[in-house]
C-alpha cells in the first residue's frame, strides 16, 4: 500500500571516573527512511482509492498489460498506477548527544551538570508523477521540505542525601534547567517538468518558502524527600518556569506539589496480619503544574508582510495577539493504596481527579477592533478528568526453572467540560457538541429508531420537550438532536502474561476497551444510496436480505432507493461501538545460557521475535480500527499496523 | 552565622540577576513578523504600513466584502437598474432580499473595520510624534489615514444605519472606533448622527491640516478626495449648502476635468491617455500580486468573468430615451451563446471596469459625481441656475446635441434620473433613493418584469420604510458582543 519504514540505530555510552568527578558521555545516531501513504481523500491515497473507490468490476491492467483507465469513481485515475509512480518519502537523520559531569563535593553532596544536544533533520519528498491523476494538472509536481529541529538542554543539579540517626532519611535537590528549541524549514516546489527526473533544476516553474521558529524555557526547581524508618514518607517540590511563548508579565509560572505516604504494614500494630498482607502503603499527593500554549508567538500582535498595493509590499498586523496569555494550570489530586499479599499478589488502586483551568481556546472576538482574525487564543475554559485505576500483579509460579507472572489493569476515566468560555454554555461543532457538564467530545445526533415497517424509511425519536418525546417520526423538521454518546470509553486496560522456562521467555499483552463509540464519518456512503451514489462505488453497507421490501416488513435496514430524499447522515444509526480486545504484543525470546558465552566475553545474548497488533476482536458494526481518533469521527484513517520484529540483544 | 547571611544574600542577588538575564534570553520574535516598535519607527516604516492600509481599502481574494467587490454592487443591485444574473450567486440575496436573519444575510462589516484598525495605527503613530524622518511626508500619511478611516465609517453607517434624512440621525449607526482596540473590546453602536459628526470632524481636520497633497495622486488619497467624500457626506446628511460649496471647489479649483463625449467610452481604461482626468480617488492594481482576483468587482461585471450582474430592462428603457448617449459605450451586448439566447442584442453587461486580467484601476469617486452633487445641492437650496448649469454639463457631455435642461426643469427628480444614467454600477442607487425618499420599483406585473427573476412582493417595490433596506449586524458579531446584540436593526 505504499507504506514502509527502514531504520538504522546505533548508541554508544561511556563513563569515566577521575577522583571526585565522574564524566559520562553518550551518543545516539539513527537514520530512518520512510515511505508514507496519504490518509484521507486523494487519488494517491490507498485507503480511499483502493478500498472504496474501486469495485469488483474494475481492473488495474488492460489485456495487453498497459494501465487500465476503467475507474469511473476517480475519473479514470488508476489507483495502482498512482501508487506505483507517486511517492511520499521521508528521510530522518537524528543525532542525540549528552555530556555530563558529576562532582562529588563532600559527603553525599553532588553537583551534576549535563548538556544535551538533539539534532533532527527531516527531508521529505512528495512526487506527483505526470502519469497520475494528482500530477497531470501540473505536468508533474515535486515538493520537498527540508526541516531541522535542534534542541539544546542544560541541566544543573545539586543533590544531597543523608541518613540521620539511622531512621531519618533525607534527600534534597536543587536544579536549574534551560531548553532552547529551534525549528527551521525550507520548502521548495517545482512543476511543469518536461521529463521524468524530479530534481528542481529540471522544472519549468519553481517556488520556495522558508521559516524559523524558536522556543526557549528556563526552570528553577527544588525538591525535598523525607522518610522516617522506611515507614513514613513525605515529599515536597517547587518549581518556577519561564517560557519564551508568553509576554514578560505572564512569563513565569510557579508550580508545586506535596505528597505523603504511609507504609502501614511496617507499624507494630500490624504485626499479626503481616503474614497475609506482606506490604501495604497508603499514598496521597496533590500538585499544580502547567502546560505551555502551543502557539510560540501568540502573546503579541505582529506586523506581517505581503500586504501589497500598487506594486509595493506593505506590512500590517497579521494576527490577533493576546498579551494576557498565560500558563494553563493543572491541579491533580491522587490517592492510592498499594497492597501485597503473601509476597506474590499485589494490588494497586489509584483514585485521581485532575482539573485543568485557564485552558487555551481559540475564542471568537468582535470584528469591530478590526483584527485580521475572527478569534484569538485566550485562557478560558476548564476541564476535569477524574477516575480510578486498579492494577493487579501476581507471581503465579516462581521456581528455579519456571516463572509465570500475570498483570491486569483496568481504568475508568470521566471527562467533564466544566467551563467553556464564560459566555456560551455549549458549542456545536458538526457532529460533536462541547457542552458544559458533559464530556468534552460528545456526539450530537438525531436518535435513530429503526425502520418504519409501513414505508421502509428511517425513523427517529422526537426527543422534544413535549409528551411525544419518545414517539417516532420520519419528519426531520420535527426531530431534535440529543447527546447520543461519546468516544470516551467506560473502562479500558490490559492483561499481560509473562512466562519463562529455562532459556525461553514468552510475553503476551492484551489490551481492551469497553464502552465508547465512534461515528462513521464517511457520510457519502451512509446516504441510503441517495445523492452521493458515486458511479461504480458499491455502497458496502447493504445486505439485500436485511433490507425492507414491502409494507409490513420489520426489516433491519431501510429501503435502498436511488435519489432517496428521506435520509440523514446525522443520526445515531452511524455510531459504532469501539469495544475491542486486541493482542497488542506477543514476544518469544531465546536466551543463550551464560556459561556458553562467557568465554567469548559476552554477558548476555538473546534473540527474540515479536508481533504487534496480532489479533483483534471487535464489534461487527465497527468498520475501522477501534483505536480511533480522540474526537471519534472516523473516515479513512490508517489502521494500527500488524508488525513483526526480529531482534538480537548483546551485552558486554 | 554572618557568613551564612552573606552567602544567602549573594545567592539571592545571583538568582535575581539570573532571572532578569533569563528574561532577556527568553524574548523571542517570529521569523515572519515584527513587533509594533519595529514596524513604526521611521518614515520608511510608516510608508510600508500605509501600503498595508491601502491593501485593505483595495481588498483581495479573501477580503472582498468592501471595495474588493461588495461595496460596489451593494447599492446598485438593490435598485431598479441592475439585477443579479441567474448564473451568478454572489449578488443574489442582496438583489432579491431573501435573507431573513443575521446568520444568512451578507455583510459589509469585517473589512471596513480592518481598514479602520490599520488607519488608526497610523494615526496613533503619527500623533505620537515618535517617528523619525520627513515631517511633511509623515503628516501627509497621517492625514490620508484619517480620510480613509472616515470613509470607512461613512460607508458602514450608510449600510447599517437608517439614512440620515429619515430621522435626523437618531437611530443606531455603527460603533465609532478611534484607536486600535484590544481583543476583549465589545463596543456598542453610536447613533447615526454621532457617526456623521465624527466623519465630518475627521475629514475637516484632514483637509484643514494642509498636509494632504493637492495634486493628482493616483491610487492614494489627496485633498480633493477628502473634499469629495465630505461633499457626499453633506449631501447625504441634507446639509446642502456645504455640499454645494465643496463640490464647486473641486469643480472649479481641482486639477480634474470631465471626460469629453468622444473620450468617454475608452477613458475608463487606465491605459487611455485621458483616463486620469476624472478619477478623484481610485484603486489601482498592477499585477497578480496586488489584485482582487476572481472575486473582484471587475470580474463580477464581465460576461467572460462571473457575469454576476446585468443591467435591467428598466435601465435599458431609460437609456433608450437617447440612443446617441455616449454612455452606451460602456454597455455591451452578450457574446456567448447562452447569454445571447437570454438577452438577444440587449446591451446588458456593464463594461466600466474591464476584465480582471487588465488590472484596471477602479475610480471610487469621479468628477462627474461632483457635478451631480453640486446640481442636487443647488436644486435643494433653490438655486435653479446652478442646478441647471451643473446638470447640463453632464447632460450635454453625454450628448452635445441634446436639448439642455431648462432651469425650471432642473429638479431633484430630474437630477436623480441623470445620476442613475451616469453612476450606474458605481455603488450609488440605493443610497440616493433612500436619501431622497424615493420608491424603488423593480416591476409591478409580468408585463413589465423584463429580465427580473420572480421576486417576493416586498422586493418588487419598496422605499426606506422596508426593514430589509438595512443589513442586519452579522451573527458572528452578535455571538461575541452582547452590547451590540441588544442593538440589532429592527425586523431581525
Amino acid at each position: 500500500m505504499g507504506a514502509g519504514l527502514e531504520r538504522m540505530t546505533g548508541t554508544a555510552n561511556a563513563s569515566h571516573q577521575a577522583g571526585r568527578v565522574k564524566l559520562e558521555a553518550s551518543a545516539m545516531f539513527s537514520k530512518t527512511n520512510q515511505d508514507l501513504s496519504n490518509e484521507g481523500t486523494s487519488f494517491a491515497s490507498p485507503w480511499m482509492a483502493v478500498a472504496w473507490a474501486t469495485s469488483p468490476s474494475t481492473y488495474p491492467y488492460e489485456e495487453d498489460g498497459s494501465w487500465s483507465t476503467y475507474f469511473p469513481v476517480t475519473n479514470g485515475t488508476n489507483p495502482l498506477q498512482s501508487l506505483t509512480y507517486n511517492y511520499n518519502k521521508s528521510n530522518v537523520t537524528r543525532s542525540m548527544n549528552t555530556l555530563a559531569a558529576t562532582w562529588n563535593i563532600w559527603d553525599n553532596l553532588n553537583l551534576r551538570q549535563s548538556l544535551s544536544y538533539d539534532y533532527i533533520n527531516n527531508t521529505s519528498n512528495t512526487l506527483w508523477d505526470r502519469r497520475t491523476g494528482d500530477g497531470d494538472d501540473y505536468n508533474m509536481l515535486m515538493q520537498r521540505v527540508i526541516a531541522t529541529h535542534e534542541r539544546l538542554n542544560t541541566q544543573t543539579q545539586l543533590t544531597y542525601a543523608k541518613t540521620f540517626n539511622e531512621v531519618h532519611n533525607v534527600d534534597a535537590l536543587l536544579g536549574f534547567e534551560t531548553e532552547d528549541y529551534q525549528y527551521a524549514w525550507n520548502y521548495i516546489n517545482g512543476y511543469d517538468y518536461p521529463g521524468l527526473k524530479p530534481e528542481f533544476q529540471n522544472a519549468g516553474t519553481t517556488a520556495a518558502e522558508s521559516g524559523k521558529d524558536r522556543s526557549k524555557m528556563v526552570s528553577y526547581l527544588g525538591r525535598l524527600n523525607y522518610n522516617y524508618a522506611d515507614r513514613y514518607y513525605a515529599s515536597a517540590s517547587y518549581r518556577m518556569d519561564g517560557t519564551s511563548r508568553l509576554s514578560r508579565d505572564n512569563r513565569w509560572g510557579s508550580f508545586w506539589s506535596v505528597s505523603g505516604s504511609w507504609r502501614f504494614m511496617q507499624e507494630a500494630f500490624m504485626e499479626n496480619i503481616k503474614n497475609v498482607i506482606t506490604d501495604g502503603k497508603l499514598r496521597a499527593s496533590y500538585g499544580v503544574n502547567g502546560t505551555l500554549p502551543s502557539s510560540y508567538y501568540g502573546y503579541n500582535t505582529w506586523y506581517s508582510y505581503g500586504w501589497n498595493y500598487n506594486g509595493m509590499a506593505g506590512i500590517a498586523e497579521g494576527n490577533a495577539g493576546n498579551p494576557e496569555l498565560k500558563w494553563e494550570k493543572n491541579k491533580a489530586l491522587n490517592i492510592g493504596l498499594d497492597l501485597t499479599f503473601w509476597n506474590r499478589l499485589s494490588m494497586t488502586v489509584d483514585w485521581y481527579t485532575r482539573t485543568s483551568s485557564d485552558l487555551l481556546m481559540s475564542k471568537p472576538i468582535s470584528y469591530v477592533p478590526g483584527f485580521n482574525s475572527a478569534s484569538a487564543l485566550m485562557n478560558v475554559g476548564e476541564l476535569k478528568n477524574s477516575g480510578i485505576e486498579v492494577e493487579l500483579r501476581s507471581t503465579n509460579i516462581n521456581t528455579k526453572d519456571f516463572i509465570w507472572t500475570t498483570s491486569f489493569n483496568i481504568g475508568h476515566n470521566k471527562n467533564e467540560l466544566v467551563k467553556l468560555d464564560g459566555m456560551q454554555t455549549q458549542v456545536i461543532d458538526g457532529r460533536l457538541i462541547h457542552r458544559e457538564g458533559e464530556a468534552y467530545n460528545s456526539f450530537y445526533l438525531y436518535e435513530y429508531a429503526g425502520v418504519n415497517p409501513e414505508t421502509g424509511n428511517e425513523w427517529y425519536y422526537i426527543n422534544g420537550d413535549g409528551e411525544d418525546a419518545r414517539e417516532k417520526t420520519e419528519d426531520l423538521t420535527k426531530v431534535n438532536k440529543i447527546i447520543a454518546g461519546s468516544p470516551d470509553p467506560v473502562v479500558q486496560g490490559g492483561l499481560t502474561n509473562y512466562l519463562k522456562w529455562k532459556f525461553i521467555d514468552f510475553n503476551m499483552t492484551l489490551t481492551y476497551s469497553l464502552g465508547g463509540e465512534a461515528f462513521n464519518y464517511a457520510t457519502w456512503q451512509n446516504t441510503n444510496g441517495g445523492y452521493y451514489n458515486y458511479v461504480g462505488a458499491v455502497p458496502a453497507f447493504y445486505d439485500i436480505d436485511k433490507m425492507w421490501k414491502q409494507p409490513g416488513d420489520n426489516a433491519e435496514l431501510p429501503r435502498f432507493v436511488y435519489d432517496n430524499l428521506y435520509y440523514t447522515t446525522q443520526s445515531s444509526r452511524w455510531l459504532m461501538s469501539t469495544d475491542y480486545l486486541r493482542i497488542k504484543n506477543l514476544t518469544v525470546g531465546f536466551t543463550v545460557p551464560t556459561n556458553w558465552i562467557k568465554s567469548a566475553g559476552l554477558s548476555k545474548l538473546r534473540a527474540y521475535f515479536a508481533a504487534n497488533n496480532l489479533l483483534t476482536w471487535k464489534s461487527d458494526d465497527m468498520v475501522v480500527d477501534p483505536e480511533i481518533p480522540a474526537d471519534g469521527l472516523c473516515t479513512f484513517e490508517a489502521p494500527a499496523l500488524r508488525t513483526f520484529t526480529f531482534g538480537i540483544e548483546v551485552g558486554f | 552565622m554572618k557568613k551564612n547571611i552573606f552567602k544567602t544574600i549573594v545567592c539571592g542577588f545571583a538568582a535575581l540577576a539570573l532571572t532578569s538575564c533569563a528574561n532577556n534570553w527568553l524574548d523571542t520574535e517570529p521569523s515572519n513578523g515584527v513587533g509594533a516598535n519595529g514596524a513604526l519607527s521611521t518614515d520608511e516604516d510608516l510608508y510600508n504600513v500605509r501600503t498595508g492600509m491601502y491593501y485593505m481599502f483595495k481588498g483581495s481574494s479573501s477580503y472582498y466584502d468592501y471595495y474588493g467587490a461588495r461595496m460596489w454592487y451593494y447599492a446598485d443591485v438593490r435598485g431598479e437598474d441592475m439585477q443579479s444574473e441567474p448564473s451568478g450567486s454572489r449578488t443574489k440575496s442582496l438583489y432579491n432580499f431573501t435573507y431573513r436573519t443575521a446568520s444568512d444575510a451578507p455583510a459589509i462589516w469585517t473589512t471596513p473595520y480592518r481598514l479602520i484598525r490599520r488607519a488608526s495605527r497610523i494615526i496613533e503613530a503619527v500623533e505620537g510624534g515618535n517617528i523619525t524622518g520627513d515631517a511633511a511626508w509623515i503628516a501627509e500619511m497621517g492625514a490620508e489615514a484619517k480620510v480613509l478611516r472616515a470613509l470607512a465609517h461613512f460607508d458602514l453607517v450608510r449600510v447599517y444605519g437608517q439614512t440620515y434624512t429619515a430621522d435626523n440621525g437618531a437611530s443606531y449607526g455603527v460603533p465609532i472606533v478611534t484607536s486600535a482596540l484590544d481583543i476583549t473590546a465589545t463596543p456598542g453602536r453610536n447613533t447615526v448622527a454621532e457617526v456623521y459628526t465624527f466623519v465630518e470632524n475627521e475629514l475637516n481636520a484632514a483637509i484643514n491640516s494642509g498636509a494632504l497633497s493637492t495634486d493628482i495622486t493616483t491610487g492614494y488619497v489627496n485633498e480633493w478626495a477628502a473634499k469629495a467624500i465630505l461633499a457626499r457626506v453633506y449631501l447625504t446628511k441634507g446639509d446642502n449648502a456645504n455640499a454645494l460649496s465643496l463640490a464647486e471647489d473641486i469643480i472649479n479649483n481641482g486639477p480634474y476635468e470631465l471626460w469629453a463625449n468622444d473620450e468617454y467610452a475608452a477613458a475608463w481604461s487606465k491605459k487611455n491617455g485621458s483616463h486620469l482626468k476624472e478619477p478623484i480617488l481610485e484603486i489601482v492594481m498592477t499585477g497578480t500580486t496586488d489584485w482582487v482576483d476572481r472575486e473582484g468587482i471587475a470580474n463580477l461585471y464581465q460576461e467572460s468573468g462571473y457575469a454576476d450582474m446585468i443591467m435591467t430592462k428598466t435601465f435599458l428603457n431609460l437609456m433608450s430615451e437617447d440612443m446617441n448617449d455616449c454612455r452606451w459605450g460602456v454597455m455591451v451586448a452578450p457574446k456567448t451563446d447562452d447569454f445571447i439566447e437570454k438577452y438577444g442584442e440587449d446591451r446588458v453587461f456593464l463594461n466600466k471596469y474591464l476584465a480582471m486580467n487588465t488590472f484596471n484601476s477602479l475610480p471610487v469617486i469621479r468628477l462627474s459625481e461632483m457635478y451631480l452633487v453640486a446640481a442636487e445641492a443647488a436644486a435643494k437650496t433653490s438655486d435653479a441656475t446652478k442646478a441647471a448649469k451643473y446638470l447640463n454639463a453632464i447632460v450635454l457631455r453625454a450628448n452635445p446635441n441634446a436639448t439642455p435642461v431648462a432651469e425650471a426643469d432642473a429638479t431633484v427628480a430630474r437630477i436623480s434620473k441623470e445620476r442613475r444614467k451616469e453612476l450606474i454600477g458605481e455603488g450609488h442607487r440605493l443610497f440616493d433613493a433612500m436619501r431622497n425618499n424615493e420608491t424603488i420599483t423593480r416591476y409591478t406585473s409580468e408585463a413589465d418584469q423584463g429580465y427580473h427573476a420572480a421576486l417576493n412582493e416586498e422586493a418588487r417595490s419598496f422605499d426606506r420604510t422596508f426593514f430589509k433596506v438595512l443589513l442586519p449586524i452579522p451573527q458572528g458579531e452578535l455571538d461575541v458582543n452582547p452590547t451590540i446584540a441588544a442593538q440589532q436593526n429592527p425586523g431581525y
Side-chain angles (χ1 to χ4, degrees), chain A residues 211-316:
Chain A
K212 272 192 185 167
D213 278 328
R214 201 157 182 190
S215 169
K216 304 186 206 179
M217 194 153 93
V218 170
S219 315
Y220 300 96
L221 50 105
R223 186 188 70 205
L224 187 67
N225 287 336
Y226 168 78
N227 80 59
Y228 174 79
D230 277 343
R231 209 183 308 162
Y232 304 106
Y233 295 80
S235 105
S237 76
Y238 176 79
R239 65 181 296 149
M240 219 166 83
D241 296 283
T243 170
S244 65
R245 301 184 196 183
L246 301 172
S247 69
R248 280 199 170 203
D249 294 331
N250 302 307
R251 175 170 286 169
W252 295 92
S254 300
F255 310 110
W256 56 272
S257 74
V258 290
S259 71
S261 55
W262 175 31
R263 274 180 87 186
F264 52 82
M265 286 317 298
Q266 305 287 78
E267 294 289 349
F269 55 81
M270 289 291 191
E271 276 295 329
N272 25 359
I273 51 170
K274 199 132 194 244
N275 48 347
V276 177
I277 303 182
T278 44
D279 201 0
K281 190 155 95 171
L282 188 62
R283 326 174 245 108
S285 74
Y286 181 76
V288 180
N289 67 15
T291 310
L292 283 174
S294 52
S295 151
Y296 289 10
Y297 311 108
Y299 67 90
N300 195 10
T301 313
W302 303 100
Y303 281 78
S304 59
Y305 302 92
W307 307 99
N308 302 338
Y309 181 72
N310 198 13
M312 256 138 350
I315 68 174

Side-chain angles (χ1 to χ4, degrees), chain B residues 445-464:
Chain B
S445 67
E446 245 188 74
D448 58 357
Q449 190 170 351
Y451 298 127
H452 281 289
L455 297 172
N456 293 334
E457 288 268 354
E458 56 183 12
R460 287 187 209 170
S461 177
F462 57 89
D463 62 16
R464 66 189 186 193

Side-chain angles (χ1 to χ4, degrees), chain A residues 466-503:
Chain A
E467 285 180 357
D468 58 354
R470 291 311 282 176
E471 280 184 28
K472 308 181 199 184
T473 173
E474 283 181 15
D475 188 351
L476 279 172
T477 60
K478 295 207 187 87
V479 184
N480 295 298
K481 288 188 177 177
I482 55 159
I483 291 187
S486 167
D488 301 333
V490 176
V491 286
Q492 49 183 275
L495 174 66
T496 304
N497 274 297
Y498 174 75
L499 290 94
K500 185 172 159 80
W501 180 68
K502 294 208 189 201
F503 57 88

Side-chain angles (χ1 to χ4, degrees), chain B residues 247-286:
Chain B
E248 287 192 302
D249 185 9
I250 300 170
I251 294 168
N252 297 326
N253 306 325
Y256 305 102
E257 266 181 71
L258 287 177
W259 288 324
N261 173 283
D262 50 5
E263 293 175 328
Y264 192 85
W268 285 93
S269 165
K270 73 177 179 186
K271 298 194 178 123
N272 186 289
S274 315
H275 174 79
L276 292 176
K277 283 162 75 172
E278 276 214 35
I280 299 175
L281 176 62
E282 79 177 334
I283 293 174
V284 297
M285 294 185 224
T286 61

Side-chain angles (χ1 to χ4, degrees), chain B residues 130-143:
Chain B
N130 288 326
I131 305 183
T132 57
D134 182 351
W137 190 28
I138 293 170
E140 185 184 352
M141 293 194 268

Side-chain angles (χ1 to χ4, degrees), chain A residues 437-561:
Chain A
E438 305 286 337
Y440 182 73
N441 284 319
S442 301
F443 297 116
Y444 191 56
L445 306 162
Y446 299 120
E447 190 178 352
Y448 180 61
V451 177
N452 185 345
E454 291 311 303
T455 61
N457 293 321
E458 287 182 347
W459 242 350
Y460 316 98
Y461 287 108
I462 292 181
N463 280 323
D465 294 328
E467 285 180 357
D468 58 354
R470 291 311 282 176
E471 280 184 28
K472 308 181 199 184
T473 173
E474 283 181 15
D475 188 351
L476 279 172
T477 60
K478 295 207 187 87
V479 184
N480 295 298
K481 288 188 177 177
I482 55 159
I483 291 187
S486 167
D488 301 333
V490 176
V491 286
Q492 49 183 275
L495 174 66
T496 304
N497 274 297
Y498 174 75
L499 290 94
K500 185 172 159 80
W501 180 68
K502 294 208 189 201
F503 57 88
I504 306 176
D505 58 86
F506 170 84
N507 185 71
M508 179 166 90
T509 303
L510 294 159
T511 55
Y512 67 90
S513 162
L514 293 169
E517 284 154 310
F519 184 80
N520 187 340
Y521 206 33
T523 53
W524 53 91
Q525 299 202 66
N526 306 346
T527 59
N528 293 347
Y531 291 113
Y532 284 75
N533 186 9
Y534 282 152
V535 180
V538 177
F541 301 109
Y542 287 92
D543 195 323
I544 300 287
D545 295 335
K546 296 186 193 157
M547 276 176 18
W548 181 94
K549 291 184 203 62
Q550 69 225 346
D553 266 359
N554 272 321
E556 198 182 309
L557 296 176
R559 65 192 177 118
F560 179 102
V561 173

Side-chain angles (χ1 to χ4, degrees), chain B residues 198-258:
Chain B
F198 170 74
V199 169
E200 288 167 40
N201 290 341
E202 290 284 287
L203 288 170
N204 278 319
I207 295 167
N208 295 334
S209 72
L212 291 168
S213 168
T214 50
D215 301 321
I216 300 182
T217 54
T218 310
Y220 302 99
V221 168
N222 63 8
E223 195 177 289
W224 305 109
K227 287 182 174 174
I229 297 169
L230 192 51
R232 263 192 200 176
V233 174
Y234 282 135
L235 187 71
T236 317
K237 187 180 174 187
D239 184 346
N240 300 302
N242 276 323
L244 180 59
S245 71
L246 276 168
E248 287 192 302
D249 185 9
I250 300 170
I251 294 168
N252 297 326
N253 306 325
Y256 305 102
E257 266 181 71
L258 287 177

